[in-house]
Amino acid sequence: MRQPAFSLLPDLYRLDRQLQPLPCPVCNARKPLRVLRRDRYLLRVDLSICEDCGAIYLARGLSGDIATRFYANLYPRLMGVGAYSAPVLGQSRLAAGYRVNAIRSVAGVVDDIVDIGAGHGFFLAACRDAGSRNYWGVEPGPLQRRYGEDNLGLRGRILAGDFASPAAAPFQPQMVTMFHVLEHLEQPGATLDVIAGWLPRDGWLVIEVPDLEDWSQIGLQYAHVSHRSYFTGATLTALLARHGFRVHALQRELYGIHPTNLRVFARVGDADPGLPRPPDVVRLRQQIRQQMRPWRLTDGYPKSAWRLGKLAIAGGLNPPPITP
C-alpha cells in the first residue's frame, strides 16, 4: 500500500525522539568525543570517537525494540527494499560474481559457506554457480529472503535469523562471510564470538565494510542511523583481535563493488598479542571533520535534504535505492 505523501518525515521525527545514548560497540565505554551531531537523515546520532579505544561509532541510536521496529518498517522505505530495477539487479549479480573471484584469489576455494546477511541471495547463487556444494545464508528481512527463494532458486537455503545472535550453523562452515553487515550490529563482538565458535582453525572469515581510511571519499552520506560502527583497516583488525581472529589479508577497492570498500580475510586463533594504542582522538576528530565537510553541496546536508524531500513525497514506497 502506498504511504501518504510526507508521512516519512513525521516517522523520522518520532524516531529521532526515540534514539537512545549508546556505549562504544567495541569496548563498551561511554566516553564519546562527538564528531558530527546529525546524520544524512538529519537524525541526531552523535557520530563520535571513543576516547578509550578510538573506535568511531554512533553515541546515540537504535537499541532493542526501537531497532527491531526500525528495520521492519522504516529501513525498507529508506533503502528502497522492493524496488528491483533491472540495472540494480544486474549490478548485484555482477558484484556477487566479483566477490566469489576475489575470495578465490585468497582462499583458493569457495565452499562450505554461511553468509550472514545474505540479502537477496545473489552471493549464494554465485557460489552455487561456481560449484559450491554447501552454501547457506542468514537474513532477517522477509522481502529479501523471498526474492532469493522465488527468483534465484534458493528456497530453504536462506534462514531467518538475527545478525546479532545468528542461530547455529546447519553444518560446520569452512567460511563465514559478512558483506556490509558488521557496521549495522549493536554488538559486533558478540557475533564475532559466535562465528569463532563455528570455524575450524583453517577456516575463513571474510568481512566487507565501507573503508573510512579517507573520509573525503565517504562524506556525510555514509553517516546514518543504521550504521553503528565505522571502520578502517586498523580499527577492524583491532576489533577482530579482541575476539580471537588474526587478519590474513586486506583488499581495498576505491571504485569496486562498493565505494571505498574494505575486504578483510581473517582466521581464528594466533591473534597478534596486545591491542594497538588508541589514536589521538582530538586530532582524528579534526581530520574527519575537515575531510567530511558536512555542508558541501555534492554530498553534505543540502543533498541529504533534497534526497529526503524526494523520499517524503513518494511516501518512501519504491524510492530510488540508496547506498546501504
Side-chain angles (χ1 to χ4, degrees), residues 149-166:
E149 292 172 351
D150 295 344
N151 297 279
L152 300 177
L154 295 173
R155 189 168 301 279
R157 293 282 182 173
I158 306 179
L159 309 177
D162 182 352
F163 293 160
S165 54

Side-chain angles (χ1 to χ4, degrees), residues 140-249:
L143 291 176
Q144 292 93 320
R145 293 197 307 272
R146 192 175 307 129
Y147 183 90
E149 292 172 351
D150 295 344
N151 297 279
L152 300 177
L154 295 173
R155 189 168 301 279
R157 293 282 182 173
I158 306 179
L159 309 177
D162 182 352
F163 293 160
S165 54
F171 57 90
Q172 183 177 41
Q174 286 293 120
M175 181 176 292
V176 174
T177 54
M178 300 175 69
F179 301 124
H180 294 273
V181 170
L182 194 70
E183 64 268 29
H184 291 268
L185 301 183
E186 187 172 349
Q187 294 184 320
T191 297
L192 292 175
D193 288 340
V194 171
I195 295 169
W198 288 355
L199 287 170
R201 290 181 66 86
D202 61 345
W204 291 98
L205 171 62
V206 184
I207 293 176
E208 283 185 17
V209 293
D211 185 5
L212 302 187
E213 195 70 37
D214 181 356
W215 276 81
S216 65
Q217 300 293 331
I218 297 293
L220 175 69
Q221 299 311 306
Y222 284 83
H224 60 85
V225 68
S226 66
H227 281 179
R228 285 291 315 275
S229 305
Y230 299 78
F231 295 104
T232 64
T235 62
L236 183 51
T237 298
L239 173 63
L240 289 166
R242 282 176 178 269
H243 296 278
F245 287 91
R246 71 187 188 280
V247 171
H248 178 84

